[in-house]
């Protein structure tokens, strides 16, 4: 890859050339980014001989180094801690945290986050109505948990009876899985 003005790159692949736009380096929060650019000109010697005189020209090596340091400090972001299990579904994830609570985040179509709404969330939200959870599973568009006493609860999409509650109605909150025949 050959850099061109630090914003574009020429890429050769399979005999084709492509010009690709490259983003300048960006410092992530709490990190330091150092960019170093070095240019070197190789030494050359040219000699020309004329019938009357000989001229020799020598170009010396020149190296230029530019260093740019950017430091960004952002306030600390609280992180989910105390998780004992994590399960990733198709477009959402859930975590079992200390004390048996369940938190989910991501796409909330059909209520698969279990917080009583269908609003997507980029941060973990509490799954309502379950305590003492010992295990979780995030499916494609629904989630389930083993709650206190071994009771199984599920929430989210239910058009084919995925929630196991005897209906085909989606649920935005956990429902009990009923005993089978």
């Amino acid at each position: 890859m050959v850099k061109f003005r630090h914003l574009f790159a020429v890429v050769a692949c399979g005999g084709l050339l492509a010009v690709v736009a490259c983003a300048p380096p960006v410092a992530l929060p709490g990190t330091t980014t150092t960019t170093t650019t070095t240019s070197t000109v190789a030494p050359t010697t040219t000699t020309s001989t004329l019938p009357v005189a000989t001229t020799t020209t020598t170009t010396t090596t020149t190296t230029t180094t530019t260093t740019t340091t950017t430091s960004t400090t952002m306030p600390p972001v609280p992180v989910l801690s105390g998780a004992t299990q994590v399960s990733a579904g198709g477009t959402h994830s859930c975590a079992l945290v200390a004390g048996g609570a369940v938190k989910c985040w991501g796409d909330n179509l059909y209520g698969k986050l279990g917080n009583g709404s269908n609003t997507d969330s980029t941060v973990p939200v509490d799954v309502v109505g379950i305590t003492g959870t010992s295990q979780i599973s995030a499916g494609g568009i629904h989630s389930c948990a083993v709650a206190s006493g071994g009771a199984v609860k599920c929430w989210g999409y239910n058009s084919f009876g995925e929630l196991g509650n005897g209906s085909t109605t989606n649920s935005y909150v956990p429902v009990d899985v009923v005993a089978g025949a």
Side-chain angles (χ1 to χ4, degrees):
M1 181 166 64
V2 178
K3 287 185 180 180
F4 181 73
R5 293 187 186 198
H6 305 287
L7 295 175
F8 296 95
V10 177
V11 179
C13 180
L16 299 174
L17 288 177
V19 176
V20 181
C22 299
V26 175
L28 295 175
T31 63
T32 300
T33 302
T34 302
T35 306
T36 303
T37 307
T38 304
S39 303
T40 303
V41 178
T44 58
T45 302
T46 307
T47 304
S48 59
T49 305
L50 298 173
V52 178
T54 299
T55 305
T56 301
T57 305
T58 303
T59 304
T60 58
T61 302
T62 304
T63 302
T64 304
T65 302
T66 304
T67 302
T68 305
T69 303
T70 304
S71 181
T72 304
T73 304
M74 304 250 330
V77 176
V79 296
L80 180 63
S81 61
T84 57
Q85 182 187 356
V86 174
S87 182
T91 56
H92 75 294
S93 299
C94 295
L96 174 59
V97 295
V102 178
K103 295 182 178 278
C104 295
W105 60 94
D107 175 49
N108 198 17
L109 184 64
Y110 307 114
K112 60 188 161 188
L113 300 185
N115 66 339
S117 80
N118 66 346
T119 303
D120 299 342
S121 180
T122 59
V123 297
V125 294
D126 292 324
V127 174
V128 298
I130 57 174
T131 58
T133 306
S134 60
Q135 195 170 3
I136 56 171
S137 180
I141 46 182
H142 72 289
S143 301
C144 295
V146 177
S148 60
V152 178
K153 298 197 177 249
C154 295
W155 58 95
Y157 188 74
N158 196 32
S159 286
F160 301 100
E162 294 93 320
L163 304 186
N165 65 344
S167 81
T168 55
T169 302
N170 302 331
S171 180
Y172 294 176
V173 296
V175 295
D176 290 322
V177 174
V178 299

